[in-house]
Amino acid sequence: RMPEDALIRFSDVDFSYNGTPVLSKASFEVRQGESLCMIGPNGGGKTTILRLALGLLKPDAGKIEILGTTPRKASVAVGYMPQHFQFDPKFPVTVTDVVLMGRLDRIRGGRYTHADKEAAGRAIERVRLTPEAKRPYAGLSGGQRQRVLLARALVSDPRVLLLDEPTANIDLTVEERFLESIEKLKEQVTILTVTHDIGVAGHFGDRVLCVNRSVHSHAVSELKGEVIKEIFSDELRLEHDRHTRHTHGDHSHCDHE
């Protein structure tokens, strides 16, 4: 049984795209106050897990609980930062405009309220972009744009924050500043992040979720060469599954009784 303070629960979740299995018996939980990374090979199911958690996809089997309810019902308390934000650079959208988009589901009467605008100001301040609040989004650097998208995810004061490859398109110096912002957020919100960068994983918490059809938890300190090879290799995935189940007390796939 999972702890009562788990804000994200996946229990034996299966999911397929057009008949091709992506997740099989995926089970994990993220507790309140935790900050975790998901790592694993392309196509292993990491982004699919985020989409399922957001209620954008429905599982073929199994159960998903976010904040003790369905992903759809919990969505107002979940912030999401996508890897890419599609926009027309000729369209004169400001930093504040982009951040306010995170409140669209709360709009009544077609207009943002004073409270919405105040929330946007606070979110922009949290990512240290207040001087840029009125600047065109198109005129920002890659790192600044990432922080704007983070502010958009934070503008509704979510209890859970889902980040998809937040450091993928920024250089190392900017990444360091971005990770500093994340370090501060960890004290206020539960975070689940997809990343390809194992070096980033340690900034998010003490353990990582390794996703390759199924999901296993590893301590960050375990991420040494052989474990990393297992996580990213299809040939070794079955052995990794068996070994991880064994060390975590599930002996159902082991040779002994």
Side-chain angles (χ1 to χ4, degrees):
R1 182 174 168 79
M2 293 184 182
E4 291 306 315
D5 62 349
L7 299 191
I8 301 173
R9 281 191 178 100
F10 275 56
S11 304
D12 291 327
V13 170
D14 292 351
F15 184 82
S16 302
Y17 281 114
N18 301 320
T20 303
V22 178
L23 294 173
S24 175
K25 300 287 183 191
S27 296
F28 69 93
E29 49 84 13
V30 184
R31 295 182 292 275
Q32 183 160 349
E34 267 195 309
S35 174
L36 297 182
C37 269
M38 288 192 288
I39 61 173
N42 284 331
K46 302 183 300 297
T47 297
T48 298
I49 285 175
L50 291 190
R51 289 175 179 157
L52 286 162
L54 288 163
L56 301 175
L57 299 173
K58 288 189 174 179
D60 300 332
K63 186 176 182 184
I64 300 170
E65 289 177 274
I66 309 294
L67 302 170
T69 186
T70 65
R72 281 292 176 93
K73 286 181 181 171
S75 62
V76 290
V78 177
Y80 172 57
M81 179 181 167
Q83 187 175 348
H84 301 291
F85 173 55
Q86 300 296 328
F87 76 105
D88 181 350
K90 294 175 188 164
F91 189 71
V93 62
T94 68
V95 167
T96 299
D97 292 333
V98 173
V99 174
L100 278 168
M101 290 175 191
R103 305 272 294 196
L104 278 172
D105 59 337
R106 300 182 180 212
I107 283 187
R108 298 290 177 270
R111 292 192 176 186
Y112 292 115
T113 63
H114 181 65
D116 291 328
K117 291 172 183 173
E118 282 194 334
R122 286 194 302 273
I124 290 166
E125 188 176 358
R126 282 171 89 176
V127 299
R128 294 175 296 169
L129 278 177
T130 302
E132 275 70 48
K134 293 181 179 177
R135 281 188 62 192
Y137 180 78
L140 300 182
S141 68
Q144 287 173 324
R145 288 184 187 183
Q146 292 297 82
R147 279 151 63 200
V148 172
L149 295 183
L150 182 57
R152 185 179 71 162
L154 290 169
V155 73
S156 292
D157 291 319
R159 291 182 63 196
V160 170
L161 191 57
L162 305 177
L163 310 178
D164 193 0
E165 297 279 3
T167 60
N169 303 308
I170 52 180
D171 64 40
L172 285 175
T173 312
V174 175
E175 178 183 289
E176 205 171 302
R177 276 190 234 125
F178 184 84
L179 291 172
E180 282 170 15
S181 300
I182 294 293
E183 293 277 357
K184 288 178 181 155
L185 286 174
K186 276 163 51 176
E187 298 163 15
Q188 304 152 27
V189 64
T190 297
I191 304 173
L192 182 60
T193 304
V194 166
T195 185
H196 275 96
D197 186 349
I198 290 175
V200 164
H203 290 270
F204 285 87
D206 296 326
R207 66 185 179 105
V208 295
L209 297 176
C210 306
V211 182
N212 194 355
R213 290 268 299 271
S214 55
V215 181
H216 301 297
S217 173
H218 284 280
V220 171
S221 58
E222 290 176 16
L223 294 183
K224 307 235 170 18
E226 285 307 307
V227 173
I228 290 166
K229 271 189 204 168
E230 288 180 17
I231 291 165
F232 287 91
S233 164
D234 270 340
E235 293 75 29
L236 290 167
R237 179 167 55 77
L238 292 175
E239 177 59 25
H240 172 249
D241 284 1
R242 187 189 67 76
H243 173 72
T244 305
R245 286 194 182 98
H246 191 172
T247 56
H248 283 71
D250 174 356
H251 302 273
S252 58
H253 284 243
C254 300
D255 295 329
H256 61 77
E257 292 300 318

